[in-house]
Amino acid sequence: MADEKTLDLILRQARSHGDFSDRPVPEEALRAAHDLMKWGPTSANSQPMRVLYLRSKESREKLRPALGPTNLEKTMKAPLVALVAYDTRFWEHLPRMFYNPQAINWFKDKGAHTEITAFRNGTLQGGYFLLALRAVGLDCGAMSGFDNAKADAAFFP
């Protein structure tokens, strides 16, 4: 079992933060967090989560039209925003990620089933990501108060 200090760090004292300093987030910390979470269990090792890091003020400004009023100021002030998304073509990577070579057929051309699987497992990985960010010493504020369609349009026209 994890020691008490670790449990406090990643869970017991972990709260969504909304007030951030203007210190840059080190690339090494993001890589360490990704390395910690990347193999967390997902259905058929699907690993559909994708992350887009918004480091510059200009990149965060592109997100502005998609943000709800309560999230606007803290998002613009944060030194980094990580958009956690999911890849609906995750199944293309299954032959190297999962022990069953037939698993690709469970999702390829399966429409809504594939979308739901990607959403569910990408969200699960998002939770792993938050825990990993805490484990490497970063504060984070999970947010769902935004318009997905506007965010998609801003970054994936």
Side-chain angles (χ1 to χ4, degrees):
M1 179 167 168
D3 63 77
E4 296 298 312
K5 185 176 177 181
T6 301
L7 293 173
D8 285 345
L9 176 69
I10 64 171
L11 292 168
R12 293 185 191 130
Q13 295 175 5
R15 301 294 181 267
S16 286
H17 290 266
D19 188 26
F20 300 99
S21 70
D22 61 358
R23 287 179 291 162
V25 176
E27 179 71 25
E28 301 77 32
L30 295 174
R31 289 185 186 279
H34 183 263
D35 284 345
L36 281 173
M37 60 74 51
K38 68 183 176 184
W39 296 117
T42 57
S43 298
N45 293 330
S46 56
Q47 310 297 333
M49 184 184 85
R50 304 294 181 263
V51 180
L52 177 63
Y53 294 107
L54 308 179
R55 293 179 183 277
S56 70
K57 184 164 182 65
E58 295 78 21
S59 64
R60 289 190 303 281
E61 282 296 330
K62 290 172 72 174
L63 190 58
R64 181 183 288 274
L67 296 170
T70 59
N71 293 319
L72 186 61
E73 184 180 339
K74 65 184 173 183
T75 303
M76 293 299 120
K77 185 179 176 185
L80 174 95
V81 172
L83 295 181
V84 177
Y86 57 91
D87 181 358
T88 57
R89 296 180 67 90
F90 67 87
W91 47 266
E92 293 175 343
H93 304 283
L94 285 179
R96 66 181 175 81
M97 305 293 281
F98 193 58
Y99 67 91
N100 183 342
Q102 295 304 310
I104 195 170
N105 297 317
W106 302 344
F107 305 104
K108 182 179 180 182
D109 301 324
K110 300 294 189 218
H113 170 68
T114 303
E115 176 88 18
I116 290 166
T117 300
F119 173 77
R120 185 179 301 125
N121 287 280
T123 302
L124 177 63
Q125 285 186 284
Y128 297 156
F129 186 53
L130 290 171
L131 294 174
L133 290 169
R134 293 286 303 158
V136 301
L138 296 174
D139 289 329
C140 42
M143 177 178 64
S144 62
F146 58 91
D147 183 312
N148 287 8
K150 288 180 181 176
D152 285 349
F155 294 99
F156 309 105

